[in-house]
Amino acid sequence: MSEYTIHLLVCGGTGCKSRTSHAVAGNLKAEIKNQGLSDVAQVVITGCFGFCEKGPIVKIIPENTFYTQVKPEDAKEIVEEHVVKGRRVQRLLYKDTKTEKIVTDAREMERYKKQVRIALRNCGVINPENIDEYIARQGYEALGRVLTEMDPQQTIDIIKKSVVRGRGGGGFSTGTKWELTFRNKADQKYVVCNADEGDPGAFMDRSILEGDPHSVIEAMAIAGYSTGASEGLVYIRAEYPLAIERLKGAIKQAREYGLLGKNILGTDFSFDIDLRYGAGAFVCGEETALIHSMEGKRGEPTMKPPFPSVAGYLGKPTTVNNVETFANVPPILLKGHEWFSSIGTEKSKGTKVFALAGKINNVGLIEVPMGITLREVIFEIGGGIKGGKQFKAVQTGGPSGGCLTEKHLDIPIDYDNLIAAGSMMGSGGMIVMDEDDCMVDMAKFFLEFTVDESCGKCTPCRIGNKRLFELLEKIAIGNGIPEDIERLINLGNVIKDTSLCGLGQSSPNPVLAMIKNFPREYDAHVLDKKCPAGVCKALMVYEIIAENCVGCTACARACPVGAITGERKEVHTIDTGLCIKCGACMDRCKFNAVIVK
Amino acid sequence: METVKLTIDQKAVEVSVGTSILKAARRVGIEIPTLCYMHLEDLNIEHKPGGCRVCVVEVQGRRNLAPSCATDVAEGMVVNTHSIRVLNARKTVLELILSDHPKDCLTCAKSGNCDLQNMAIKMGIREIHNQDIAAMSTYRTDFSPAIIRDMNKCIMCRRCETMCNEFQTVGALSAINRGFMSVVAPAFEMDLEDSVCTYCGQCVAVCPTGALTEVDHTNRLIRDLSNPAKTVIVQTAPAVRAALGEMFDMEPGTLVTGKMVAALRRMGFKYVFDTDFAADLTIMEEGSEVLDRLSRHLKGDKSVKLPILTSCCPGWVNFFESQFTDMLDIPSTARSPQQMFGSIAKTYFADKISVKREDLVVVSIMPCLAKKYECTRDEFKVNGNPDVDYSISTRELANLIKQANIEFHSLPDEEFDLPLGESTGAGVIFGATGGVIEAAIRTAYELFTKKKLDSVDFKALRGMEGIREATIDFNGLPIKIGIAHGLGRARKLLEDIRSGKSQYHAIEIMACPGGCIGGGGQPLHHGNSEIIMKRMEAIYREDKNKPIRKSHENPYIVKLYEEFLGKPLSEKSHKLLHTHYVDKRKKIIYI
Amino acid sequence: MAKIKNLADLRKLKDQLQSGTKSGGKSEHAEELVQVKIAMATCSIASGARETMNYLVDELEKRNIDAVVTQTGCMGYCYAEPTVEVKLPGRESIVFGYVDHQKADEIIEKYIKNAIMPEGLIPVNYQKINE
């Protein structure tokens, strides 16, 4: 039995692989064998370090030395100098491009600090089904301090000074919201947690509820104390059974410890939490629709004012906050508002959890400080575009946001910058698109969602969105005319301008942003009747290249509608009028004679 | 009262805090177009869901356009109601509504009287983009005995929902489905007939399009009138004469009794009679019933149920038959005037003119849609032949007069035929809330106390307040009267009876706001509830001008009893003029 | 579980839990044991994390290895689920991705037993805010 004391981790991610990281690893192994250290040093191929442009990467632990741009020839030097003699190879060390400083310990690297987990601080660390693990990591300490050492106004002041803003997408100052509810007098007030998370592709709130439900419970109790509410409600979508289970379990455990219920921690503050379930309506993520849904009414939004802080659930002052917003509250109270507001940009403090999805290598959940650029998120943390394809656009804010393109990649991410760029933060979903995604098809995708989810109360959203969708379908099947694009823009703007709630006010955003950022692609569909990305089936024309066709008849036999004709050993032709664009012929042809135009 | 100063279209306006931009604009003569908005001031109903988005205006400093009906003014606000941005938005929104609306104005029942049509005309919509690829939300048409629901024409204004749920508290209608296919309908899109609908028709009265209309019997009437084998006679309700003139551009509140009779005669009715006659008859029967119950109660009979409730309103009858089935023995057993008339017409009168029952067609002109349903009730048929063949609304009558090319304004004033056309003031006031009970008091007082009334005017029973009460001194005996109009208010009184809290001896209930004058078949008020007030004044005016104002003094009523019925509550009276009630719960699909 | 009566008791409980003197079983002297954490969020479960966890629990016991196996929330490596974090005494924790039974077996035999690193290590790329 041997025990390795030193490990050489070689990045095996696609970026590094294409740059010969395997050769590096091979050479390192050979060198180590030469030196007779095969029992002491192990070379391991790992997953992507997320630092692809500086690859191949070699990280040596336990010293945490980080070598970049390692060539296979460097293997000998690394083994001789570092492994045998314990001396770092200076020229291969990572040099911080900004400070020009050479970084010796990987943990000092800026890029290692790119993610800062505040809302996700306990996710992946504790067992969410065991309250003791939460308490061991200072759980409920914030609540305790607030109840025994501060009054409601003081707590609100700290939250206000931290400048934490609503993480559900609205970006409204959380402290101000709490203060408004606090100021309204009533015999009963409520704290509501919005766990509806309807954006397709967003799972930040789910992960927090599944991985650290107590942080939300603690924060709701703190909110209750600050605003004067004795009852909390979590509106959670029924499609999250595991999150519901974990949350229910956590509430039960909190009650057993007396951290929920009457006279919490020996004070005269009582607070308890009840769950309410959604029924599959995206619109119920809008706070007034959410409240009506909880009241047993049709889940439709109503006009604001009156705002929920004045008249919310059952007509009483209610604070509605998002799950992620709540998850930020205990750390702010424990570590102070100065600490929190030291992270982020001028107007957007703290971090944001993003759900990276789409054509990206490292699909997953990340939490980054506000101000980080999209480039860093997508190409560093995200590991770049899958399959090495070309980045085209990233959709932030889900079906309510707009797409950001190459020219926006260096914008520091924060609420206001994203809006200025024509998109929005939204709840944190980021869908990455590459050259194979069609901007007409993507606009259709988002609009199809909002058409289905519209509640139907107001004309522009109920009918307008449907008409937008029909226009996009018309364009996608090749019947578009130039006036259709003008109509999309005008109708889209009127829908934004006249809709009653946020759903309608933002549903035209995807198509408007895509027309603005990819006008040539839309023109191609309308004027040339072509889909440059090769997605819109109706615009694809299958053709047989005469030079390559040997007349084997395989395609004709594969065609389900008999659209291909030709004699044996003669060039075949496709009747485009009959062709249903199934692609069977292309799959069968062994001579690359079938192409899509 | 705190005020707010603002500017609308560069005009300075000062209004009290809490006023909407829409109302503030009206103060300076600016009429912002609206569609779903409905304000029935006298009924305390302000329906402002902010859904149609037609009334949007530009507010300086606000990111998007504001719905003026539902946005309150603020100090220093600067509003523009017709900037190009607003006009573009308003026209686009309207065009969207039209793109999902059937284009059959030419044959639609609401043509010429449709809020959507008027709006399209006003906003000059000349084309609907991409109609060829536009999907339309379509639904099954629902034909009930009184109301037709053609939801393809629904624009989701939700007015019907508000009237049905919040004002009438019947709860037959609500929004169902989601998004593009959302529509207002009974739960699970069941037929109105299978629901708790009472056919009060208040939904029809407020619908801005042709989505909710009445069942139209005009063609049937034309066929009957031209059938030589049939003798067609007509009875007219009191509320009709106070509103029919509006359909001919007369001022609301103009009494057109004489012209109405003349028109009916010229249309071809053999006999033109008055439902008011039957109203007097109802008073005789119901008044006697009241006195009977009262006397037994005063004697200590514990089995007697008080209060007694009036029962001439079929919408109200449907209401308690479906939602208060534990109290079916409390309302009076007297039939409504419409039905009493039909019963007497097809027996007493048919004999008089030697016409067989099957050849006599009795038509009623009613302000009401529930009356259409009432005609079809099995209790009101003899061997399958209905006492009243069918009921025509005020609106249908006006259309018929216009179709017949009768120049209404130049008609002379004519009198009703006899014997079923003579009525007293007590019969007329049936048309207004409080009128039935006042008519009943006029007779019951004199019968009970054997004294003559100094004044027949009981002003305490009149007015538009939702629930009213008065104590009438029956020669030392205080009789407590309760009155409610609108089924929501009726519910309150019923719940008091159920819980034992009710102190009344007699209660009058009308399903429609203002009583029959506000019925579902009357000329549309398009949101102006003042019209209902004016009709009410007309009713009391006609009463005042009548020579006889107490039902029991109607000579033709006296004659009817002498020649035919014997006396009130006799066996014959019971058979022809009284009824029983049905537990409708089994028939209705409850969830 | 007894109610926590006040803030002082809460802090006492925290201290006990941190030093490992509270709650019986394997949590005691945790520092000296192998700690295995498996992400158990919805994406994890959908990828088979429950089976992986059951396998690890069973096999570690069968092979007589003193280890604490717990579930945890999403670690953020959703593209590589099931993910498992292993902390050997005295060493930094390492995260492995795509852990099926085969990989789990490798982790036990190679890394837990002999500190030989199998392939599939996922570099941790974030810092967690500490207490």
Side-chain angles (χ1 to χ4, degrees):
Chain A
M1 162 146 105
S2 53
E3 208 176 88
Y4 288 112
T5 50
I6 184 167
H7 296 281
L8 297 94
L9 309 175
V10 181
C11 177
T14 357
C16 290
K17 238 203 275 207
S18 60
R19 291 200 187 125
T20 70
S21 60
H22 273 263
V24 171
N27 285 6
L28 282 169
K29 275 201 193 120
E31 269 311 307
I32 285 172
K33 196 160 173 213
N34 275 352
Q35 298 279 350
L37 294 167
S38 302
D39 288 343
V40 171
Q42 187 194 9
V43 177
V44 200
I45 307 267
T46 73
C48 175
F49 277 83
F51 204 10
C52 315
E53 69 264 26
K54 294 280 188 203
I57 306 288
V58 174
K59 181 174 167 184
I60 307 205
I61 55 174
E63 306 101 62
N64 273 304
T65 311
F66 207 82
Y67 290 126
T68 61
Q69 293 170 306
V70 177
K71 299 199 200 59
E73 308 84 79
D74 296 328
K76 192 157 187 282
E77 194 179 341
I78 292 176
V79 175
E80 279 175 3
E81 288 296 312
H82 190 133
V83 180
V84 178
K85 298 187 189 148
R87 286 202 300 244
R88 291 194 180 89
V89 182
Q90 292 292 319
R91 65 177 178 83
L92 289 174
L93 281 173
Y94 172 66
K95 193 153 99 172
D96 187 307
T97 40
K98 289 202 203 99
T99 64
E100 295 281 305
K101 230 175 70 132
I102 299 214
V103 177
T104 48
D105 186 331
R107 281 170 296 192
E108 294 305 307
M109 277 174 61
E110 264 313 303
R111 70 143 284 90
Y112 183 74
K113 295 189 196 161
K114 284 235 170 355
Q115 283 201 60
V116 177
R117 296 191 133 204
I118 301 180
L120 298 176
R121 64 193 175 283
N122 291 326
C123 288
V125 181
I126 64 168
N127 180 352
E129 294 181 10
N130 186 349
I131 188 175
D132 283 342
E133 294 198 23
Y134 182 70
I135 291 176
R137 283 177 60 90
Q138 279 204 305
Y140 291 102
E141 165 80 21
L143 176 62
R145 278 198 215 162
V146 159
L147 292 180
T148 52
E149 296 163 20
M150 302 192 237
D151 65 29
Q153 187 65 57
Q154 285 170 302
T155 319
I156 290 172
D157 287 339
I158 293 178
I159 301 294
K160 272 175 86 172
K161 289 203 199 119
S162 74
V163 197
V164 61
R165 291 164 70 168
R167 295 289 191 260
F172 188 77
S173 158
T174 305
T176 307
K177 196 185 256 192
W178 286 17
E179 193 167 50
L180 288 168
T181 313
F182 171 62
R183 294 243 174 94
N184 284 309
K185 304 259 172 285
D187 56 350
Q188 177 69 55
K189 297 191 206 175
Y190 297 94
V191 171
V192 171
C193 174
N194 185 345
D196 195 50
E197 195 165 56
D199 272 16
F203 54 99
M204 301 73 60
D205 295 347
R206 168 171 71 69
S207 299
I208 293 173
L209 289 169
E210 286 175 353
D212 191 11
H214 283 284
S215 65
V216 174
I217 294 173
E218 185 182 359
M220 283 177 76
I222 293 172
Y225 177 74
S226 311
T227 58
S230 61
E231 278 183 49
L233 294 153
V234 180
Y235 185 81
I236 183 164
R237 59 184 310 195
E239 295 92 328
Y240 280 176
L242 182 60
I244 291 173
E245 203 186 294
R246 297 250 165 101
L247 195 53
K248 270 189 181 164
I251 291 174
K252 182 162 174 277
Q253 289 181 344
R255 284 190 188 136
E256 280 169 8
Y257 266 168
L259 293 162
L260 278 180
K262 295 235 176 294
N263 302 110
I264 298 174
L265 290 175
T267 65
D268 57 13
F269 174 64
S270 305
F271 187 79
D272 211 336
I273 296 177
D274 199 16
L275 294 189
R276 296 293 159 86
Y277 307 108
F282 172 69
V283 71
C284 285
E286 197 278 335
E287 62 182 0
T288 56
L290 188 157
I291 287 172
H292 295 311
S293 170
M294 290 200 300
E295 290 170 336
K297 297 185 191 152
R298 190 173 152 88
E300 279 176 333
T302 44
M303 306 275 308
K304 291 190 280 198
F307 288 90
S309 53
V310 173
Y313 182 63
L314 300 178
K316 306 288 181 189
T318 308
T319 313
V320 181
N321 278 127
N322 170 268
V323 169
E324 195 187 327
T325 313
F326 276 129
N328 276 297
V329 166
I332 291 174
L333 290 165
L334 288 177
K335 295 164 84 86
H337 60 84
E338 289 107 350
W339 160 78
F340 190 80
S341 49
S342 70
I343 304 168
T345 64
E346 196 201 318
K347 295 231 187 88
S348 305
K349 301 291 182 193
T351 57
K352 179 78 190 77
V353 181
F354 287 106
L356 293 180
K359 306 287 183 70
I360 195 169
N361 276 315
N362 298 347
V363 165
L365 217 56
I366 64 168
E367 186 172 355
V368 289
M370 301 276 193
I372 197 173
T373 65
L374 279 166
R375 194 182 296 279
E376 289 169 281
V377 168
I378 296 172
F379 293 99
E380 294 186 12
I381 304 176
I385 308 296
K386 235 185 172 136
K389 298 244 175 182
Q390 178 81 345
F391 167 78
K392 191 164 182 183
V394 57
Q395 178 82 9
T396 60
S400 314
C403 61
L404 298 163
T405 60
E406 189 80 43
K407 62 178 190 271
H408 299 118
L409 281 176
D410 294 303
I411 291 179
I413 297 178
D414 80 359
Y415 289 101
D416 310 290
N417 286 348
L418 287 178
I419 292 176
S423 178
M424 61 152 81
M425 181 86 71
S427 57
M430 257 194 211
I431 301 180
V432 179
M433 295 171 263
D434 67 12
E435 61 196 79
D436 291 337
D437 288 304
C438 169
M439 292 299 129
V440 174
D441 189 60
M442 286 307 290
K444 256 179 67 184
F445 169 75
F446 287 116
L447 211 41
E448 190 175 25
F449 178 76
T450 39
V451 164
D452 197 40
E453 296 292 338
S454 164
C455 75
K457 182 168 179 181
C458 74
T459 311
C461 179
R462 178 179 80 246
I463 308 179
N465 280 331
K466 182 97 174 158
R467 300 294 175 237
L468 281 182
F469 181 73
E470 286 163 353
L471 270 171
L472 282 172
E473 274 192 320
K474 182 184 177 200
I475 291 173
I477 60 172
N479 291 342
I481 52 175
E483 287 77 20
D484 289 337
I485 300 193
E486 281 166 41
R487 177 93 186 138
L488 276 172
I489 296 173
N490 184 43
L491 185 55
N493 282 323
V494 170
I495 294 171
K496 280 179 64 116
D497 215 10
T498 55
S499 285
L500 192 151
C501 84
L503 194 158
Q505 285 161 12
S506 61
S507 54
N509 283 344
V511 64
L512 288 175
M514 286 178 188
I515 292 177
K516 182 153 177 251
N517 287 311
F518 298 94
R520 279 196 294 273
E521 194 163 351
Y522 273 79
D523 283 342
H525 282 75
V526 166
L527 299 171
D528 308 326
K529 313 293 185 209
K530 290 253 179 293
C531 176
V535 172
C536 299
K537 271 201 162 343
L539 302 182
M540 284 149 63
V541 178
Y542 280 79
E543 211 175 73
I544 294 179
I545 310 177
E547 295 85 63
N548 296 8
C549 176
V550 302
C552 71
T553 75
C555 58
R557 279 176 281 133
C559 178
V561 294
I564 307 183
T565 49
E567 297 295 320
R568 253 190 186 285
K569 308 259 173 97
E570 304 263 319
V571 169
H572 280 50
T573 45
I574 299 176
D575 181 347
T576 48
L578 293 172
C579 173
I580 59 164
K581 302 157 215 266
C582 66
C585 51
M586 199 155 157
D587 291 338
R588 280 297 186 83
C589 180
K590 294 195 190 18
F591 302 95
N592 288 321
V594 184
I595 55 154
V596 178
K597 280 205 338 209
Chain B
M1 169 63 100
E2 254 189 86
T3 61
V4 169
K5 289 202 190 75
L6 67 151
T7 316
I8 302 181
D9 292 347
Q10 289 165 348
K11 287 192 189 162
V13 191
E14 189 171 346
V15 288
S16 38
V17 167
T19 310
S20 65
I21 297 178
L22 180 71
K23 292 201 187 119
R26 283 194 184 146
R27 294 284 178 81
V28 282
I30 300 172
E31 283 294 326
I32 301 173
T34 63
L35 195 48
C36 69
Y37 178 72
M38 176 177 74
H39 190 195
L40 299 169
E41 216 166 322
D42 300 284
L43 304 177
N44 241 344
I45 301 172
E46 191 179 9
H47 172 79
K48 45 176 182 170
C52 72
R53 315 310 275 189
V54 165
C55 71
V56 289
V57 293
E58 202 172 325
V59 174
Q60 207 176 78
R62 183 177 156 136
R63 181 179 48 96
N64 57 359
L65 298 175
S68 53
C69 67
T71 308
D72 283 352
V73 297
E75 184 67 34
M77 209 185 228
V78 176
V79 177
N80 188 326
T81 72
H82 56 245
S83 66
I84 187 119
R85 176 179 167 202
V86 171
L87 284 176
N88 181 40
R90 204 171 281 155
K91 286 176 90 150
T92 306
V93 162
L94 198 47
E95 193 193 317
L96 285 175
I97 299 177
L98 295 181
S99 78
D100 187 24
H101 199 85
K103 312 291 183 296
D104 46 39
C105 281
L106 287 177
T107 50
C108 177
K110 278 302 250 295
S111 189
N113 210 356
C114 170
D115 289 347
L116 182 64
Q117 192 183 51
N118 292 340
M119 188 62 58
I121 295 170
K122 184 178 166 138
M123 297 307 298
I125 308 296
R126 290 287 161 268
E127 87 167 297
I128 298 168
H129 292 84
N130 293 300
Q131 185 71 75
D132 54 330
I133 57 164
M136 307 257 287
S137 50
T138 56
Y139 312 88
R140 190 172 54 84
T141 306
D142 173 16
F143 295 93
S144 72
I147 298 172
I148 301 176
R149 284 188 332 109
D150 179 4
M151 289 297 112
N152 295 356
K153 295 177 183 165
C154 176
I155 59 169
M156 289 298 273
C157 73
R158 319 290 279 276
R159 289 183 188 178
C160 55
E161 196 183 1
T162 293
M163 290 306 281
C164 189
N165 293 339
E166 281 160 47
F167 186 69
Q168 298 293 64
T169 71
V170 169
L173 295 171
S174 72
I176 61 167
N177 300 341
R178 182 171 81 191
F180 190 67
M181 289 305 288
S182 57
V183 73
V184 180
F188 304 103
E189 253 195 291
M190 68 170 91
D191 284 345
L192 273 181
E193 223 176 331
D194 297 323
S195 73
V196 291
C197 174
T198 61
Y199 306 118
C200 71
Q202 285 310 303
C203 53
V204 176
V206 299
C207 180
T209 68
L212 293 169
T213 53
E214 68 267 27
V215 170
D216 192 321
H217 290 305
T218 317
N219 288 342
R220 193 174 166 188
L221 177 58
I222 294 174
R223 278 197 294 273
D224 281 340
L225 284 170
S226 46
N227 187 344
K230 302 276 184 191
T231 305
V232 189
I233 69 175
V234 68
Q235 51 160 322
T236 61
V240 180
R241 66 206 66 191
L244 183 62
E246 292 165 37
M247 303 287 297
F248 300 96
D249 298 321
M250 291 180 174
E251 270 301 305
T254 311
L255 276 170
V256 293
T257 321
K259 291 201 197 309
M260 176 180 71
V261 174
L264 287 166
R265 214 162 260 143
R266 274 149 192 68
M267 266 160 49
F269 286 98
K270 197 81 182 285
Y271 294 90
V272 180
F273 290 135
D274 196 344
T275 313
D276 297 7
F277 167 83
D280 284 332
L281 186 56
T282 307
I283 291 301
M284 298 304 296
E285 293 295 323
E286 200 164 335
S288 307
E289 197 186 347
V290 171
L291 289 178
D292 175 56
R293 278 208 216 172
L294 205 54
S295 331
R296 284 193 287 142
H297 167 80
L298 290 171
K299 289 204 190 100
D301 185 344
K302 292 283 179 213
S303 71
V304 170
K305 293 266 169 66
L306 280 184
I308 184 169
L309 309 176
T310 58
S311 56
C312 44
C313 169
W316 150 237
V317 169
N318 284 339
F319 185 64
F320 66 71
E321 278 182 329
S322 53
Q323 303 207 30
F324 289 89
T325 52
D326 51 328
M327 306 200 301
L328 292 182
D329 50 358
I330 297 186
S332 154
T333 54
R335 296 187 189 186
S336 66
Q338 168 180 273
Q339 294 306 139
M340 283 199 186
F341 180 94
S343 189
I344 294 298
K346 290 209 180 181
T347 52
Y348 175 73
F349 183 69
D351 283 344
K352 271 204 191 279
I353 59 169
S354 309
V355 171
K356 278 198 287 201
R357 187 187 175 96
E358 304 79 55
D359 297 330
L360 187 63
V361 178
V362 176
V363 179
S364 69
I365 315 288
M366 290 284 150
C368 172
L369 299 189
K371 289 287 177 197
K372 290 176 188 279
Y373 159 77
E374 201 185 22
C375 298
T376 68
R377 288 183 74 125
D378 287 329
E379 306 88 71
F380 303 144
K381 293 181 183 161
V382 175
N383 292 330
N385 179 282
D387 286 337
V388 179
D389 290 84
Y390 45 91
S391 171
I392 302 253
S393 66
T394 316
R395 293 193 293 265
E396 283 164 88
L397 174 62
N399 287 334
L400 210 46
I401 294 174
K402 289 177 191 171
Q403 280 173 46
N405 238 352
I406 295 172
E407 180 42 64
F408 194 74
H409 289 264
S410 49
L411 286 171
D413 286 335
E414 294 187 5
E415 294 289 327
F416 285 103
D417 290 319
L418 295 169
L420 306 180
E422 177 71 29
S423 67
T424 69
V428 173
I429 59 177
F430 262 60
T433 166
V436 176
I437 206 76
E438 185 174 339
I441 300 280
R442 290 179 190 179
T443 295
Y445 181 89
E446 293 199 350
L447 289 181
F448 185 78
T449 64
K450 313 269 192 284
K451 287 191 165 159
K452 277 255 176 263
L453 277 168
D454 293 324
S455 157
V456 294
D457 290 312
F458 289 89
K459 297 250 167 80
L461 302 169
R462 304 180 189 182
M464 273 299 271
E465 241 185 271
I467 298 181
R468 308 191 293 284
E469 59 180 39
T471 309
I472 312 290
D473 181 4
F474 270 41
N475 202 24
L477 180 68
I479 299 293
K480 292 180 104 152
I481 306 291
I483 299 161
H485 57 121
L487 291 171
R489 291 115 169 204
R491 182 183 286 276
K492 285 206 192 79
L493 293 182
L494 280 173
E495 277 167 359
D496 282 346
I497 299 175
R498 200 182 245 162
S499 63
K501 280 202 280 184
S502 180
Q503 299 289 324
Y504 300 114
H505 292 104
I507 299 179
E508 179 210 282
I509 307 239
M510 291 293 149
C512 295
C516 307
I517 43 167
Q522 291 284 63
L524 300 177
H525 51 65
H526 292 285
N528 182 359
S529 53
E530 241 186 77
I531 293 179
I532 301 180
M533 295 293 301
K534 297 230 165 74
R535 294 174 190 165
M536 189 183 273
E537 283 157 26
I539 293 283
Y540 287 109
R541 227 181 307 133
E542 173 130 326
D543 166 40
K544 213 173 178 70
N545 292 334
K546 284 267 186 188
I548 308 175
R549 300 178 67 195
K550 293 174 242 177
S551 300
H552 55 282
E553 292 179 357
N554 184 335
Y556 288 89
I557 292 287
V558 173
K559 196 153 161 237
L560 176 61
Y561 277 103
E562 274 172 10
E563 286 182 14
F564 191 60
L565 293 170
K567 60 181 171 69
L569 304 180
S570 70
E571 205 188 305
K572 201 166 198 177
S573 300
H574 261 293
K575 182 157 164 259
L576 294 174
L577 307 176
H578 287 258
T579 182
H580 60 273
Y581 301 108
V582 169
D583 181 339
K584 282 214 169 72
R585 278 177 311 169
K586 287 194 203 64
K587 186 184 151 314
I588 296 164
I589 302 172
Y590 282 98
I591 311 306
Chain C
M1 299 208 306
K3 282 207 171 38
I4 300 174
K5 294 204 208 82
N6 48 45
L7 183 56
D9 277 357
L10 177 71
R11 287 176 175 152
K12 217 171 24 175
L13 176 59
K14 181 194 82 173
D15 291 332
Q16 284 175 341
L17 289 165
Q18 279 184 349
S19 68
T21 51
K22 171 155 200 304
S23 89
K26 289 191 173 166
S27 315
E28 292 174 25
H29 312 296
E31 272 306 297
E32 297 168 20
L33 293 169
V34 174
Q35 292 177 47
V36 179
K37 287 187 191 165
I38 300 157
M40 199 62 66
T42 302
C43 0
S44 329
I45 295 174
S47 310
R50 280 211 206 279
E51 287 77 33
T52 301
M53 180 155 102
N54 292 338
Y55 182 81
L56 279 167
V57 169
D58 289 339
E59 290 302 313
L60 284 167
E61 192 172 327
K62 270 197 216 151
R63 302 178 205 190
N64 264 315
I65 298 170
D66 229 353
V68 182
V69 181
T70 51
Q71 65 177 4
T72 178
C74 172
M75 291 188 219
Y77 311 110
C78 313
Y79 61 94
E81 294 286 352
T83 50
V84 175
E85 182 186 275
V86 182
K87 185 176 186 323
L88 296 180
R91 292 180 188 246
E92 260 182 48
S93 51
I94 303 276
V95 178
F96 297 97
Y98 306 102
V99 181
D100 51 10
H101 285 201
Q102 199 189 347
K103 175 69 69 178
D105 182 64
E106 251 189 274
I107 292 173
I108 298 175
E109 287 303 316
K110 289 193 183 161
Y111 189 63
I112 294 180
K113 281 190 171 168
N114 299 320
I116 299 171
M117 196 147 344
E119 309 228 333
L121 182 153
I122 299 194
V124 173
N125 62 357
Y126 53 76
Q127 54 173 343
K128 298 166 221 171
I129 57 158
N130 289 320
E131 290 80 328

